[in-house]
Amino acid sequence: MIHDYFKAFMTFLKREDKPGAVMYALKLIEENTLTIEELYLNVLAPSLIHFECEEKDEDVCIWKEHFRTSIIRTILESCYVHVLTLVKNVKPNHIKVMMLTPAFEYHEIGAIMNTHFMLLEGFDAHYIGANTPKSEILSAIRTYHPDYVALSVTNPYNLVVTKQTTDEIKRFFPEVGILLGGQAFKDPALFEHLSYTYILKDLNDLKAFGKKVSHV
Ligand code: B12
């Protein structure tokens, strides 16, 4: 069934029909056809992850990918209003999380989605931004006093900067927990040397983490 919504959504994306795609996705939420989690994980995420470009010209493929990402981003920002409405019925756990992507990491859709998932699980979650330099992360921790910093990392090359960042967080703010998530954490050999509190692979891990910290 969800696959039919995905297929219908893809017809808008393939035509680069932004108004059509945005209205279709929002209607699925407003009419309670899908939950936020279902829309993000079964419709929006696969539309990016399985992006295939049939054009021969690589430049055309690049702008098409950028345009598609901008459509998804608009949908996510529009869904934030619905997330806020839903959160009114969620018991807060009073745990503050600061989500971001580290320096050089531009892939931010997963970070935004998971910030919304955290809000829906009762966290006081804030998405700070993409490509965030180490010094700004430390400054934000100093000002914001989060319980956890969550780093979303897609490109394994960025695990070097992730290690530098997490080492500094541990050094200056040992009381702050570190959450890691994203495609870069598929191969444990690549991140065994990193300092972290939890690696969260998906929504199930996030929910389990929420349960664990709520009962402390
Ligand atoms: C959109 C996109 C871009 C956009 C990003 C725009 C933006 N504002 O985010 C732009 C055009 C900027 C881009 C640039 C590049 N990209 Co790119 N990009 C993609 C694409 C098509 C989709 C990524 C995406 O948003 N996926 C959807 C989200 C929802 O998935 P996700 O991030 O994995 O998140 C999920 C989980 O991982 C998890 N998660 C993520 N973070 C967190 C955090 C927590 C706490 C938790 C609990 C869970 C969690 O939850 C999400 C939902 O399940 C992928 C293709 C792919 N297969 O993913 C390539 C891809 C990621 N890109 C790739 C590459 C190589 C690049 C470039 C280097 C290309 C270049 N030569 O310039 C640059 C790098 C830029 C940089 N410095 O970061 C490669 C990475 C290969 C690799 N493994 O290293 C991919 C896989 C394409 C490919 N097949 O080669 N890209």
Side-chain angles (χ1 to χ4, degrees), residues 41 45 48-49 51 65-66 69 73 99 104-111 113-114 117-118 150-158 179-183 200-202 206:
L41 295 177
L48 286 171
I49 291 169
F51 174 73
E65 186 181 289
H66 283 234
T69 312
R73 215 179 185 292
M99 174 81 78
F104 311 115
E105 181 59 76
Y106 291 21
H107 299 96
E108 63 176 345
I109 302 295
M113 286 184 177
N114 281 283
F117 294 160
M118 284 186 175
L151 289 98
S152 172
V153 188
T154 300
N155 197 323
Y157 286 115
N158 291 332
L179 307 175
L180 301 174
Q183 293 184 32
L200 305 177
K201 283 190 306 294
D202 51 29
L206 198 158

Short mmCIF file of all heavy atoms in Angstrom, two decimals, residues 41 45 48-49 51 65-66 69 73 99 104-111 113-114 117-118 150-158 179-183 200-202 206, ligand 1:
data_model
loop_
_atom_site.label_atom_id
_atom_site.label_comp_id
_atom_site.label_asym_id
_atom_site.label_seq_id
_atom_site.Cartn_x
_atom_site.Cartn_y
_atom_site.Cartn_z
N LEU A 41 10.17 7.86 5.98
CA LEU A 41 10.99 6.66 5.76
C LEU A 41 10.61 5.87 4.52
O LEU A 41 11.46 5.24 3.90
CB LEU A 41 10.94 5.74 6.99
CG LEU A 41 11.56 6.32 8.25
CD1 LEU A 41 11.40 5.37 9.42
CD2 LEU A 41 13.04 6.64 8.04
N ALA A 45 12.57 9.44 1.95
CA ALA A 45 13.97 8.93 1.95
C ALA A 45 14.27 8.09 0.71
O ALA A 45 15.26 8.35 0.02
CB ALA A 45 14.26 8.16 3.24
N LEU A 48 15.15 9.83 -2.52
CA LEU A 48 16.51 10.37 -2.66
C LEU A 48 17.54 9.25 -2.79
O LEU A 48 18.43 9.29 -3.63
CB LEU A 48 16.87 11.23 -1.45
CG LEU A 48 16.19 12.59 -1.38
CD1 LEU A 48 16.45 13.23 -0.03
CD2 LEU A 48 16.67 13.50 -2.49
N ILE A 49 17.40 8.26 -1.92
CA ILE A 49 18.42 7.20 -1.86
C ILE A 49 18.46 6.44 -3.19
O ILE A 49 19.53 6.06 -3.66
CB ILE A 49 18.15 6.26 -0.66
CG1 ILE A 49 18.42 7.04 0.64
CG2 ILE A 49 19.03 5.02 -0.70
CD1 ILE A 49 17.97 6.36 1.92
N PHE A 51 17.78 7.63 -6.13
CA PHE A 51 17.74 8.59 -7.24
C PHE A 51 18.51 8.03 -8.44
O PHE A 51 19.68 7.68 -8.33
CB PHE A 51 18.36 9.92 -6.80
CG PHE A 51 18.49 10.93 -7.92
CD1 PHE A 51 17.37 11.56 -8.43
CD2 PHE A 51 19.72 11.20 -8.49
CE1 PHE A 51 17.47 12.48 -9.46
CE2 PHE A 51 19.84 12.12 -9.53
CZ PHE A 51 18.71 12.75 -10.01
N GLU A 65 19.36 16.41 -9.14
CA GLU A 65 19.50 15.90 -7.77
C GLU A 65 19.33 17.04 -6.76
O GLU A 65 18.66 16.89 -5.75
CB GLU A 65 20.87 15.23 -7.60
CG GLU A 65 21.02 14.56 -6.25
CD GLU A 65 22.37 13.91 -6.06
OE1 GLU A 65 22.63 12.89 -6.71
OE2 GLU A 65 23.19 14.44 -5.27
N HIS A 66 19.94 18.20 -7.08
CA HIS A 66 19.81 19.35 -6.18
C HIS A 66 18.34 19.77 -6.09
O HIS A 66 17.84 20.07 -5.01
CB HIS A 66 20.64 20.54 -6.71
CG HIS A 66 22.09 20.40 -6.44
ND1 HIS A 66 22.82 21.36 -5.79
CD2 HIS A 66 22.96 19.42 -6.71
CE1 HIS A 66 24.07 20.96 -5.68
NE2 HIS A 66 24.19 19.78 -6.24
N THR A 69 16.34 17.40 -4.00
CA THR A 69 16.62 17.59 -2.56
C THR A 69 15.87 18.81 -2.05
O THR A 69 15.34 18.81 -0.94
CB THR A 69 18.14 17.79 -2.32
OG1 THR A 69 18.85 16.77 -3.01
CG2 THR A 69 18.49 17.71 -0.86
N ARG A 73 13.30 19.00 1.02
CA ARG A 73 13.54 19.92 2.14
C ARG A 73 12.30 20.78 2.41
O ARG A 73 11.92 20.98 3.55
CB ARG A 73 14.74 20.81 1.80
CG ARG A 73 15.56 21.13 3.02
CD ARG A 73 16.74 21.99 2.67
NE ARG A 73 17.59 22.20 3.82
CZ ARG A 73 17.25 22.91 4.88
NH1 ARG A 73 16.07 23.47 4.96
NH2 ARG A 73 18.08 23.05 5.89
N MET A 99 21.20 18.45 17.21
CA MET A 99 21.53 17.65 16.02
C MET A 99 22.25 18.53 15.00
O MET A 99 21.87 19.69 14.78
CB MET A 99 20.22 17.14 15.42
CG MET A 99 20.34 16.42 14.11
SD MET A 99 20.82 14.70 14.30
CE MET A 99 19.28 13.99 14.79
N PHE A 104 32.23 19.92 6.59
CA PHE A 104 32.38 19.24 5.27
C PHE A 104 31.24 18.29 4.94
O PHE A 104 31.21 17.75 3.85
CB PHE A 104 33.73 18.50 5.15
CG PHE A 104 34.91 19.34 5.54
CD1 PHE A 104 35.68 19.02 6.64
CD2 PHE A 104 35.22 20.48 4.82
CE1 PHE A 104 36.75 19.82 7.03
CE2 PHE A 104 36.29 21.29 5.20
CZ PHE A 104 37.06 20.96 6.30
N GLU A 105 30.34 18.07 5.89
CA GLU A 105 29.24 17.13 5.62
C GLU A 105 27.99 17.93 5.24
O GLU A 105 27.38 18.57 6.10
CB GLU A 105 28.97 16.26 6.86
CG GLU A 105 27.87 15.24 6.67
CD GLU A 105 28.15 14.28 5.53
OE1 GLU A 105 28.97 13.39 5.71
OE2 GLU A 105 27.55 14.44 4.43
N TYR A 106 27.64 17.90 3.94
CA TYR A 106 26.51 18.70 3.45
C TYR A 106 25.19 17.92 3.48
O TYR A 106 24.13 18.50 3.33
CB TYR A 106 26.74 19.15 2.00
CG TYR A 106 27.84 20.17 1.81
CD1 TYR A 106 28.84 20.35 2.75
CD2 TYR A 106 27.88 20.96 0.65
CE1 TYR A 106 29.85 21.27 2.56
CE2 TYR A 106 28.89 21.89 0.46
CZ TYR A 106 29.88 22.03 1.42
OH TYR A 106 30.88 22.94 1.22
N HIS A 107 25.27 16.59 3.57
CA HIS A 107 24.04 15.79 3.54
C HIS A 107 23.29 16.00 4.86
O HIS A 107 23.77 15.60 5.91
CB HIS A 107 24.38 14.30 3.37
CG HIS A 107 25.11 14.02 2.09
ND1 HIS A 107 26.47 13.93 2.03
CD2 HIS A 107 24.65 13.84 0.83
CE1 HIS A 107 26.83 13.68 0.78
NE2 HIS A 107 25.75 13.62 0.03
N GLU A 108 22.14 16.63 4.78
CA GLU A 108 21.45 17.03 6.01
C GLU A 108 20.02 16.51 6.12
O GLU A 108 19.35 16.73 7.13
CB GLU A 108 21.42 18.57 6.12
CG GLU A 108 20.63 19.22 5.00
CD GLU A 108 20.50 20.73 5.12
OE1 GLU A 108 20.78 21.28 6.19
OE2 GLU A 108 20.12 21.34 4.11
N ILE A 109 19.53 15.85 5.08
CA ILE A 109 18.11 15.43 5.12
C ILE A 109 17.87 14.43 6.25
O ILE A 109 16.87 14.52 6.99
CB ILE A 109 17.69 14.82 3.74
CG1 ILE A 109 17.92 15.85 2.61
CG2 ILE A 109 16.25 14.33 3.77
CD1 ILE A 109 17.06 17.08 2.67
N GLY A 110 18.80 13.49 6.42
CA GLY A 110 18.67 12.50 7.51
C GLY A 110 18.67 13.18 8.87
O GLY A 110 17.93 12.79 9.78
N ALA A 111 19.50 14.23 9.02
CA ALA A 111 19.57 14.95 10.30
C ALA A 111 18.24 15.65 10.58
O ALA A 111 17.74 15.62 11.72
CB ALA A 111 20.72 15.97 10.26
N MET A 113 15.24 14.88 9.35
CA MET A 113 14.19 13.87 9.62
C MET A 113 14.30 13.36 11.05
O MET A 113 13.30 13.26 11.77
CB MET A 113 14.36 12.68 8.67
CG MET A 113 13.92 12.96 7.27
SD MET A 113 14.04 11.45 6.29
CE MET A 113 13.38 12.06 4.74
N ASN A 114 15.52 13.05 11.47
CA ASN A 114 15.68 12.46 12.80
C ASN A 114 15.45 13.47 13.92
O ASN A 114 15.09 13.08 15.03
CB ASN A 114 17.03 11.74 12.92
CG ASN A 114 16.95 10.38 12.25
OD1 ASN A 114 16.40 9.45 12.83
ND2 ASN A 114 17.43 10.29 11.02
N PHE A 117 11.84 13.13 14.30
CA PHE A 117 11.51 11.87 15.01
C PHE A 117 11.77 12.04 16.51
O PHE A 117 11.00 11.55 17.34
CB PHE A 117 12.37 10.71 14.49
CG PHE A 117 12.10 10.32 13.06
CD1 PHE A 117 13.05 9.60 12.33
CD2 PHE A 117 10.91 10.64 12.43
CE1 PHE A 117 12.82 9.23 11.02
CE2 PHE A 117 10.67 10.28 11.11
CZ PHE A 117 11.63 9.57 10.40
N MET A 118 12.86 12.71 16.84
CA MET A 118 13.18 12.90 18.27
C MET A 118 12.10 13.73 18.95
O MET A 118 11.68 13.40 20.07
CB MET A 118 14.54 13.58 18.41
CG MET A 118 15.68 12.62 18.15
SD MET A 118 17.25 13.40 18.50
CE MET A 118 18.34 12.01 18.25
N ALA A 150 24.05 15.16 18.66
CA ALA A 150 23.88 14.09 17.67
C ALA A 150 24.53 14.52 16.37
O ALA A 150 24.21 15.59 15.84
CB ALA A 150 22.40 13.80 17.47
N LEU A 151 25.44 13.70 15.87
CA LEU A 151 26.10 14.03 14.61
C LEU A 151 25.63 13.06 13.53
O LEU A 151 25.73 11.84 13.70
CB LEU A 151 27.63 13.92 14.74
CG LEU A 151 28.28 15.01 15.58
CD1 LEU A 151 28.52 14.51 16.99
CD2 LEU A 151 29.60 15.42 14.97
N SER A 152 25.11 13.63 12.44
CA SER A 152 24.70 12.81 11.31
C SER A 152 25.81 12.88 10.27
O SER A 152 26.20 13.97 9.84
CB SER A 152 23.39 13.36 10.74
OG SER A 152 23.08 12.71 9.53
N VAL A 153 26.33 11.71 9.89
CA VAL A 153 27.46 11.69 8.95
C VAL A 153 27.14 10.71 7.81
O VAL A 153 26.74 9.57 8.07
CB VAL A 153 28.78 11.27 9.65
CG1 VAL A 153 29.97 11.45 8.71
CG2 VAL A 153 29.00 12.05 10.94
N THR A 154 27.29 11.17 6.59
CA THR A 154 26.97 10.34 5.43
C THR A 154 28.24 9.80 4.77
O THR A 154 28.36 8.63 4.48
CB THR A 154 26.16 11.15 4.40
OG1 THR A 154 24.95 11.59 5.02
CG2 THR A 154 25.82 10.33 3.16
N ASN A 155 29.17 10.70 4.52
CA ASN A 155 30.36 10.31 3.77
C ASN A 155 31.45 9.80 4.71
O ASN A 155 31.88 10.52 5.61
CB ASN A 155 30.87 11.56 3.01
CG ASN A 155 31.83 11.18 1.92
OD1 ASN A 155 32.63 10.25 2.09
ND2 ASN A 155 31.76 11.89 0.81
N PRO A 156 31.89 8.55 4.54
CA PRO A 156 32.90 8.00 5.46
C PRO A 156 34.18 8.84 5.54
O PRO A 156 34.86 8.82 6.56
CB PRO A 156 33.20 6.61 4.88
CG PRO A 156 32.01 6.27 4.06
CD PRO A 156 31.46 7.57 3.53
N TYR A 157 34.49 9.61 4.49
CA TYR A 157 35.67 10.49 4.56
C TYR A 157 35.54 11.48 5.71
O TYR A 157 36.52 11.92 6.28
CB TYR A 157 35.85 11.27 3.25
CG TYR A 157 36.38 10.42 2.13
CD1 TYR A 157 35.61 10.17 1.00
CD2 TYR A 157 37.67 9.88 2.18
CE1 TYR A 157 36.09 9.38 -0.04
CE2 TYR A 157 38.15 9.09 1.15
CZ TYR A 157 37.36 8.84 0.04
OH TYR A 157 37.84 8.07 -0.96
N ASN A 158 34.30 11.82 6.03
CA ASN A 158 34.07 12.81 7.09
C ASN A 158 34.18 12.21 8.50
O ASN A 158 33.96 12.92 9.49
CB ASN A 158 32.71 13.49 6.89
CG ASN A 158 32.72 14.37 5.66
OD1 ASN A 158 33.78 14.88 5.28
ND2 ASN A 158 31.59 14.53 5.01
N LEU A 179 25.78 11.19 20.24
CA LEU A 179 25.01 10.24 19.43
C LEU A 179 25.52 10.32 18.01
O LEU A 179 25.77 11.43 17.50
CB LEU A 179 23.52 10.59 19.43
CG LEU A 179 22.86 10.76 20.80
CD1 LEU A 179 21.42 11.23 20.64
CD2 LEU A 179 22.91 9.44 21.56
N LEU A 180 25.69 9.18 17.36
CA LEU A 180 26.13 9.18 15.97
C LEU A 180 25.13 8.42 15.12
O LEU A 180 24.60 7.38 15.55
CB LEU A 180 27.51 8.50 15.85
CG LEU A 180 28.66 9.11 16.67
CD1 LEU A 180 29.91 8.24 16.54
CD2 LEU A 180 28.97 10.54 16.21
N GLY A 181 24.86 8.93 13.91
CA GLY A 181 23.95 8.23 13.00
C GLY A 181 24.24 8.63 11.57
O GLY A 181 24.87 9.65 11.31
N GLY A 182 23.77 7.79 10.63
CA GLY A 182 23.96 8.11 9.22
C GLY A 182 24.71 7.02 8.48
O GLY A 182 25.24 6.09 9.08
N GLN A 183 24.75 7.16 7.17
CA GLN A 183 25.31 6.10 6.31
C GLN A 183 26.79 5.81 6.56
O GLN A 183 27.27 4.73 6.22
CB GLN A 183 25.14 6.50 4.84
CG GLN A 183 23.70 6.52 4.37
CD GLN A 183 23.57 6.82 2.88
OE1 GLN A 183 24.42 6.47 2.08
NE2 GLN A 183 22.49 7.48 2.51
N LEU A 200 23.13 5.27 16.63
CA LEU A 200 21.72 4.97 16.37
C LEU A 200 21.54 4.76 14.88
O LEU A 200 21.74 5.68 14.08
CB LEU A 200 20.84 6.14 16.85
CG LEU A 200 21.01 6.56 18.32
CD1 LEU A 200 20.14 7.77 18.63
CD2 LEU A 200 20.67 5.41 19.26
N LYS A 201 21.19 3.54 14.50
CA LYS A 201 21.11 3.22 13.07
C LYS A 201 19.81 3.71 12.44
O LYS A 201 19.78 4.16 11.31
CB LYS A 201 21.15 1.70 12.88
CG LYS A 201 22.52 1.09 13.01
CD LYS A 201 22.53 -0.37 12.56
CE LYS A 201 21.49 -1.24 13.24
NZ LYS A 201 21.68 -1.45 14.69
N ASP A 202 18.73 3.57 13.19
CA ASP A 202 17.43 3.86 12.58
C ASP A 202 16.41 4.27 13.65
O ASP A 202 16.76 4.43 14.83
CB ASP A 202 16.93 2.62 11.82
CG ASP A 202 16.98 1.38 12.69
OD1 ASP A 202 16.85 1.51 13.92
OD2 ASP A 202 17.13 0.26 12.15
N LEU A 206 16.46 4.70 17.77
CA LEU A 206 16.14 5.99 18.39
C LEU A 206 15.05 5.82 19.46
O LEU A 206 15.14 6.36 20.56
CB LEU A 206 15.69 6.95 17.30
CG LEU A 206 15.70 8.43 17.61
CD1 LEU A 206 15.77 9.22 16.31
CD2 LEU A 206 14.49 8.86 18.37
C1 B12 B 1 20.91 14.47 -1.85
C2 B12 B 1 22.36 14.06 -1.97
C3 B12 B 1 23.31 15.06 -1.98
C4 B12 B 1 22.96 16.53 -1.77
C5 B12 B 1 22.73 16.79 -0.27
C6 B12 B 1 21.85 18.02 -0.05
C7 B12 B 1 21.35 18.17 1.34
N1 B12 B 1 20.91 19.40 1.61
O1 B12 B 1 21.32 17.25 2.17
C8 B12 B 1 24.24 17.24 -2.34
C9 B12 B 1 23.99 17.58 -3.79
C10 B12 B 1 24.72 18.46 -1.61
C11 B12 B 1 25.26 16.09 -2.29
C12 B12 B 1 26.62 16.30 -2.37
C13 B12 B 1 27.56 15.28 -2.40
N2 B12 B 1 27.31 13.96 -2.42
CO1 B12 B 1 25.63 13.24 -2.15
N3 B12 B 1 23.94 12.28 -2.16
C14 B12 B 1 22.72 12.69 -2.03
C15 B12 B 1 21.77 11.48 -2.10
C16 B12 B 1 21.16 11.43 -3.50
C17 B12 B 1 20.65 11.45 -1.07
C18 B12 B 1 21.11 11.65 0.40
C19 B12 B 1 19.91 11.72 1.28
O2 B12 B 1 19.43 12.79 1.65
N4 B12 B 1 19.30 10.55 1.57
C20 B12 B 1 18.04 10.47 2.30
C21 B12 B 1 18.31 10.46 3.81
C22 B12 B 1 17.00 10.41 4.58
O3 B12 B 1 19.06 9.29 4.09
P1 B12 B 1 20.26 9.29 5.15
O4 B12 B 1 20.99 10.56 5.16
O5 B12 B 1 21.02 8.04 4.99
O6 B12 B 1 19.48 9.23 6.56
C23 B12 B 1 18.81 8.07 6.98
C24 B12 B 1 19.67 7.19 7.89
O7 B12 B 1 21.03 7.17 7.52
C25 B12 B 1 19.41 7.72 9.26
N5 B12 B 1 20.22 8.82 9.81
C26 B12 B 1 20.95 9.78 9.22
N6 B12 B 1 21.49 10.59 10.12
C27 B12 B 1 21.09 10.17 11.34
C28 B12 B 1 21.34 10.67 12.62
C29 B12 B 1 20.77 10.03 13.73
C30 B12 B 1 21.05 10.55 15.10
C31 B12 B 1 19.92 8.90 13.53
C32 B12 B 1 19.23 8.26 14.68
C33 B12 B 1 19.71 8.38 12.24
C34 B12 B 1 20.29 9.03 11.16
O8 B12 B 1 18.08 8.22 9.19
C35 B12 B 1 17.69 8.55 7.86
C36 B12 B 1 16.36 7.88 7.61
O9 B12 B 1 16.48 6.51 7.57
C37 B12 B 1 22.75 10.30 -1.82
C38 B12 B 1 22.32 8.95 -2.39
C39 B12 B 1 22.14 7.94 -1.28
N7 B12 B 1 22.20 6.68 -1.64
O10 B12 B 1 21.92 8.27 -0.14
C40 B12 B 1 24.08 10.85 -2.37
C41 B12 B 1 25.38 10.38 -1.72
C42 B12 B 1 25.22 10.30 -0.21
N8 B12 B 1 26.30 11.46 -2.07
C43 B12 B 1 27.49 11.04 -2.35
C44 B12 B 1 28.58 11.87 -2.71
C45 B12 B 1 29.86 11.15 -3.15
C46 B12 B 1 28.47 13.27 -2.71
C47 B12 B 1 29.56 14.28 -3.09
C48 B12 B 1 30.97 13.94 -2.64
C49 B12 B 1 29.47 14.45 -4.62
C50 B12 B 1 30.51 15.36 -5.23
N9 B12 B 1 31.39 14.73 -5.96
O11 B12 B 1 30.47 16.54 -5.03
C51 B12 B 1 29.03 15.58 -2.44
C52 B12 B 1 29.57 15.72 -1.00
C53 B12 B 1 29.12 16.98 -0.37
C54 B12 B 1 29.60 17.05 1.05
N10 B12 B 1 30.73 17.70 1.29
O12 B12 B 1 28.97 16.51 1.95
C55 B12 B 1 27.60 9.52 -2.21
C56 B12 B 1 28.32 9.10 -0.92
C57 B12 B 1 29.20 7.91 -1.17
C58 B12 B 1 29.95 7.54 0.07
N11 B12 B 1 29.48 6.53 0.75
O13 B12 B 1 30.90 8.16 0.37
C59 B12 B 1 26.08 9.09 -2.31
C60 B12 B 1 25.73 7.80 -1.56
C61 B12 B 1 25.77 8.97 -3.83
C62 B12 B 1 26.45 7.76 -4.45
N12 B12 B 1 25.74 6.67 -4.65
O14 B12 B 1 27.60 7.80 -4.76
N13 B12 B 1 24.65 14.89 -2.18
#
